[in-house]
Amino acid sequence: MALRSVPPVAQLFHSNGRSFSRPPSIVQSNDGSLFVDFVGLYCKSNRTRRKFVASSGARSFPHFVATRSSTAKAVLDIGRASTALHDQPDAASDLKAKVAKLDDIISERGACGVGFIANLDNKGSHGIIKDALIALSCMEHRGGCGADNDSGDGSGLMTSIPWDLFNNWANEQGIASFDKLHTGVGMVFLPKDDDLLKEAKKVIVNTFRQEGLEVLGWRPVPVNTSVVGYYAKETMPNIQQVFVKVVKEENVDDIERELYICRKLIERAVGSESWGNELYFCSLSNQTIVYKGMLRSEVLGSFYYDLRNDLYTSPFAIYHRRYSTNTSPRWPLAQPMRLLGHNGEINTIQGNLNWMQSRESSLKSPVWHGRENEICPYGNSKASDSANLDSTAELLIKSGRTPEEALMILVPEAYKNHPTLAIKYPEVIDFYDFYKGQMEAWDGPALLLFSDGKTVGACLDRNGLRPARYWRTSDNIVYVASEVGVLPMDESKVTMKGRLGPGMMITVDLHSGQVYENTEVKSRVALSNPYGKWVKENLRSLNPVNFLSTTGMENDAILRHQQAFGYSSEDVQMVIETMAAQGKEPTFCMGDDIPLAILSQKPHMLYDYFKQRFAQVTNPAIDPLREGLVMSLEVNIGKRGNILEVGPENAKQVILSSPVLNEGELELLLKDPYLKCQVLPTFFDIHKGVDGSLEKTLYKLCEAADEAVRNGSQLLVLSDRADVLEATRPAVPILLAVGAVHQHLIQNGLRMSASIIVDTAQCFSTHQFACLIGYGASAICPYLALETCRQWRLSNKTVNLMRNGKMPTVTIEQAQKNFCKAVKSGLLKILSKMGISLLSSYCGAQIFEIYGLGKEIVDLAFCGSVSSIGGLTFDELARETLSFWVKAFSEDTAKRLENFGFIQFRPGGEYHGNNPEMSKLLHKAVRQKSESSFSVYQQHLANRPVNVLRDLLEFKSDRTPIPVGKVEPAVSIVQRFCTGGMSLGAISRETHEAIAIAMNRLGGRSNSGEGGEDPIRWRPLTDVVDGYSPTLPHLKGLQNGDTATSAIKQVASGRFGVTPTFLVNADQLEIKIAQGAKPGEGGQLPGKKVSAYIARLRNSKPGVPLISPPPHHDIYSIEDLAQLIFDLHQVNPKAKVSVKLVAEAGIGTVASGVSKGNADIIQISGHDGGTGASPISSIKHAGGPWELGLTESHQTLIQNGLRERVILRVDGGFKSGVDVLLAAAMGADEYGFGSVAMIATGCVMARICHTNNCPVGVASQREELRARFPGVPGDLVNFFLYVAEEVRGMLAQLGYEKLDDIIGRTDLLRPRDISLMKTQHLDLSVILSNVGLPKWSSTEIRNQGVHSNGPVLDDILLADPEISDAIENEKVVNKTIEIYNVDRAVCGRIAGVIAKKYGDTGFAGQLNITFTGSAGQSFACFLTPGMNIRLVGEANDYVGKGIAGGELVVTPVDNTGFCPEDATIVGNTCLYGATGGQIFVRGKAGERFAVRNSLAQAVVEGTGDHCCEYMTGGCVVVLGKVGRNVAAGMTGGLAYILDEDNTLLPKVNKEIVKIQRLTAPVGQMQLKSLIEAHVEKTGSSKGSAILKEWDTYLPLFWQLVPPSEEDGPEACADYEKTTPGQVSLQSA
């Protein structure tokens, strides 16, 4: 057989025209198929690797898989890679607690593919090792490769110890056989250098000896270094195994503990050595061993000869493949770790590390015999999040917890409002309640595999965003993996197939051979202690207290307080009063175009120097709107006990339902006898002068806090409340006070003993609450904000408005309740942006970055946060605080609050980049086409106050000026220009089309935004007369040959209007991960802007508001983003794919990951981008300046050797040629213009886009306003030509002939000599630093071909003459072919070919293709009508993504060992964004089935959580059980769900849909005909049983009906009577 299948492989080589220097490795796998692996096969110009699976069966052609292609071979800065081979702290001698640094954390990010295999009879075999290695190589696409395309980011195996192999070695060496019970084996990475190696071994041997252990021998691990990549080889350690004898202990747990102590002591001993970071223990245990390295998963087995030795046997194996987005993956960070294999991201890592560190002094357990301080520290911010989670879990397990219990404590599920747990397993809820106050959850998307050698298990985080499938076979083996199909399987032997849902766990007890599924595991753990009793007796809830019903102060006293504490009239009117009146955060539009707080000439509150961090790519944002069930704002207050000991006293705490307290609730806490509350006033004294006063006060405050806690206080209240305000005693900025006390207590080991609460006037907006909580406060009483709510409600103006019906009536209590409600929903949104679900994990997690505070402030109060540009000193901050305070005391202060103009532009207020004067000057210049007018506009920009970071820079040149004539022409410069992604819907059709036409005339690119595109715009105009065309009658100033198509078409999280035809008609496809104005959130389009036209393009209902989910369904991790990029390259191989990111610290790491994911373009947006509608706090407080994001991305990509692979595009507040040139010098190839392009076409910056009332019809859908649209395409053409001429003039000044020559040349920039009002301590070195230039010029980078997916199965199908004939001539064809999990996005390319030729509905032929096997991700994506696809086998995530028609059937093979309707056969997020077609699945689906489906019909036999989420049309039938949160955000379409055991109702999200039985005959018909089709196509036994007993089953179905469908014939029983003679659209 082997001989038969090798020749075609060999022939392929010669056809490539080059011979091979090394033989391929050929691996025979268990089922007789052959795996052949080659490195260095050339495919086009891209260096790719291909794997051939040549099987003797059905497929006669070899089939290739390309993983990643790299076009540029580049050399890394290796110096950095070798410095960090460890996860120990820098110096053991320095035991003073150190705070986790965000800088360290964000440079280490990863995501991966994982799995385990376990034999239930606990029989060791070599087959398990072989299977694990095969499974690993089928995960290759889930991993990343370095720029040399050979150094993997890491892979590894954990197994039990192969004693036979080691005893065999011992006999050869003449050593006695090992005593299995008393021998520990260490797998050690040692220094390469021989002298250092000897030193390291000496330390290890001495430590063991001091502990009374005997070293029996050292075994150099046999490795094959020829398979190691270039970078990995540079840092490759010397790998050896050490064998030690543990004599004095008998019990396994004690032996493991002894080895753990030895390892910790060795880590400490080498910490101070220069080579200390080159020593690392992969494992040191009597039970398990880890083989891992910085290797691609396929070569792990060739690298370690042991893994190919038949004597290497084990009853289980955990395997792991890493995809690290960071720069230089390191050997020790490969996984599995010592206990865990982790696929995911811990979002709260900074807080978790800080809290673990605070625990060090309180952790005690008798098992350590008083040696606790020898085994700390337990965390290290330089290691990855996985390494830290591993070391915390290790500590709990070594202290006597079981692995399952440790993971339930660290990664709890969302147990609140959980119907199943509450009814059947209340003890599990008690367990979680008990630990909630003990250990903050390690929150973030995670699939965790774990083993201590006795138990093997897997668990999923509370959101279930990582795929995890498991199956069991009749020969008693259990498999768990990130994907199905990673191993060849005989389906008839499979007896069970399932998936892990959110928060679920599965464990295998190797000794008893039992498999425990989710609730069994948890119930066993929860019953081990009387948690329910302890919780009932000790945990107290704070009872809510009514709000005050009158104001406590006179009006002028309130005004004085507001002035002293920095309120402006905008804060009161636009923020506090809106929240009090409506109970939600105010919405606003356009971007944030005022200067950063540090650059502003107006005083700002301290909070304004902080920007919220948000999730992009490496981890998902959560959806607080539709998936709020996983989120909670509960907070526990009081002392946190010793987590290593279990007992009732640990539960003595008070629970708050939210962190927002009113005055009465604060009063209750102050009086609580257990908490012994201590109030600390926060004022500083300036009667001796300002200098030094603030800092002195902070030290005193910290001392007072320290003393209070040592005296037994469990609650500190920091308060700026005073009966009388004194002019010489201003209040300390409360955020500064909280941060300083929090950090001080952590460093002194006291933080666990008390909680911090804030009683303050300086807190009224959601961002301010978030800052206080993020830096350590547990709760806040915003007394002045509540007083302001009461004052507003009692004012005559409000009373009159309510009396006249101009405003809904609210009581004074209701107003305060509304305010608190708005704060709470705002907090949930801020947490969710970072992917954090629990406030208790957000508290102290410092998820912010700082712009404009100097080192001394950051080190004292915000230690560990990034502040890259430096800024204010204590004295400068004190002066800024004082400038507010004095307003309350001076005689000439106005009798009303000042309006600083931070939100709305106003004369005399803060400077806005987009201001009326600027738009007038610009309109004049482009409409008159007058150069002198444009130079007035340039002059206006040149004279503006410092507004953005780039205003602090200017050019210096090393050359003499040249004549402008020598500079590259404007026509070539404008091709680098793009406009922003503004959706049709947010702006009017007129504006959208005018911008597109102008960009197409110039050869630049416009962007469709999210919302699809009218096909009428894709053809060039030929019917223009006098500037008007009947095709686009609403536009003027047209020319023949114009096209209104957007060259860049956007694919966003809402998938509105994304059809196969839309995708194939794009020049470029942009994946929108984040938007500058609101990163981490989805878009929103108010209902009144959804006209009939907009609704048609978006496949939704007119008048129904549209909300996009946050970027989380198929772009929630780096490997899923890589998959979406793959899908888009698949459907349109000619379009470059861009990924849009928003600037934040750590974006360089993300950009590297995106580049490894095969993107062609990376777009970086600044925080100042515009938006049609967004909450004010998002516009103002999230995201960073693009100058920092661009330089960080450009430099990281260069250091990684990845810069040549991607075009860098930047946008955010661009207005002129100066901006373009500065961006070029910082490394950008292309430049995006957003708001200014709208202004050039007529926008007057009225800033009312979100109201649909735009006075010039730019951002309105109202016909009468759109008629006023003044713009013509020529205006925008003029603007861009002027900008290009300005660029040319500046290039000539600098002496350069083309843009290429200055791109990335930060050495041409220097700081301007300019004095800022607030500080002279800004440091711009981050922007000015330089790590070299790319190997290619910018033009070469821009002109390279589209990155390829490599050879794919679709190409083989398209090359088949019958199929190509059927497509060409609309015929019918039938085909059958095998498929493997590495075949991804199959059918996508065929669909693209059909859509390009026939559109979404024009194809009349039929392709009937049957696939057999396990399909890879995105199977059957983007199908078009006429494609009938059948899969016999199973599939992974994203089946049927974006299908527009056709038919898809998934069914298991005929004789299975399992019951099809109980098995999970397709993965998560199937049918995402479908716009047509039908899908029939015999079996169950995973989470988020049919999310954002807008027209497809589906039948499935069971689903996970969040079924039918965001559905806007179509029909879904579920013949089985569903998970929680069904129909969240479902605004259209229908669902029919069979409910045999009456458990459905509590699982439905009732916010929008109503639930009814099927009464309408049309609805009954629809259901029956879909089930009949399902039975006919899949042979479903469940379906035929239902049809047989139709009358019994029909009453068991529920119909879910959103309001937009209530009057349709399917839902409304008396439909016929009410509207005779009308045909409903739904059924038509």
Side-chain angles (χ1 to χ4, degrees), residues 1105-1318:
L1106 291 177
I1107 293 181
S1108 307
H1112 115 164
H1113 294 285
D1114 67 346
I1115 37 186
Y1116 56 75
S1117 72
I1118 187 71
E1119 70 265 41
D1120 292 273
L1121 176 67
Q1123 177 59 44
L1124 179 58
I1125 293 170
F1126 188 95
D1127 298 340
L1128 297 178
H1129 276 143
Q1130 190 81 338
V1131 69
N1132 185 349
K1134 294 196 176 71
K1136 290 194 174 182
V1137 174
S1138 81
V1139 174
K1140 179 174 174 184
L1141 306 172
V1142 171
E1144 70 176 325
I1147 189 176
T1149 298
V1150 176
S1152 305
V1154 170
S1155 160
K1156 287 183 193 176
N1158 220 16
D1160 302 87
I1161 303 165
I1162 295 177
Q1163 168 151 359
I1164 291 159
S1165 297
H1167 66 100
D1168 41 7
T1171 175
S1174 166
I1176 287 189
S1177 71
S1178 306
I1179 293 179
K1180 290 285 179 196
H1181 302 296
W1186 62 252
E1187 295 91 338
L1188 294 172
L1190 171 61
T1191 40
E1192 184 184 334
S1193 303
H1194 174 69
Q1195 292 170 14
T1196 312
L1197 287 166
I1198 285 181
Q1199 286 169 329
N1200 269 344
L1202 296 167
R1203 179 64 181 86
E1204 294 78 13
R1205 289 176 61 165
V1206 287
I1207 298 169
L1208 274 187
R1209 184 182 287 161
V1210 65
D1211 75 334
F1214 275 65
K1215 295 188 177 58
S1216 67
V1218 181
D1219 291 334
V1220 171
L1221 217 57
L1222 285 164
M1226 293 175 208
D1229 301 303
E1230 300 189 354
Y1231 317 95
F1233 295 77
S1235 305
V1236 77
M1238 271 186 5
I1239 294 175
T1241 56
C1243 159
V1244 293
M1245 270 295 148
R1247 292 179 197 263
I1248 50 172
C1249 319
H1250 54 295
T1251 61
N1252 204 26
N1253 298 330
C1254 174
V1256 287
V1258 169
S1260 172
Q1261 300 305 326
R1262 287 166 52 185
E1263 296 283 345
E1264 72 281 15
L1265 293 174
R1266 282 169 42 201
R1268 300 183 188 169
F1269 177 68
V1272 294
D1275 293 347
L1276 196 54
V1277 172
N1278 294 342
F1279 170 71
F1280 281 121
L1281 288 171
Y1282 282 140
V1283 171
E1285 288 300 341
E1286 183 182 355
V1287 170
R1288 292 186 69 214
M1290 290 176 69
L1291 281 172
Q1293 256 335 105
L1294 294 170
Y1296 286 86
E1297 288 180 16
K1298 47 188 195 298
L1299 259 179
D1300 271 2
D1301 301 339
I1302 69 148
I1303 287 175
R1305 293 283 306 276
T1306 45
D1307 53 313
L1308 296 176
L1309 297 174
R1310 65 170 175 219
R1312 269 171 72 188
D1313 181 23
I1314 192 166
S1315 75
L1316 291 174
M1317 192 155 161
K1318 292 187 183 177

Side-chain angles (χ1 to χ4, degrees), residues 738-752:
V738 168
V741 170
H742 173 67
Q743 296 286 356
H744 175 83
L745 294 178
I746 287 180
Q747 286 165 12
N748 291 345
L750 296 170
R751 189 64 183 87
M752 285 291 143

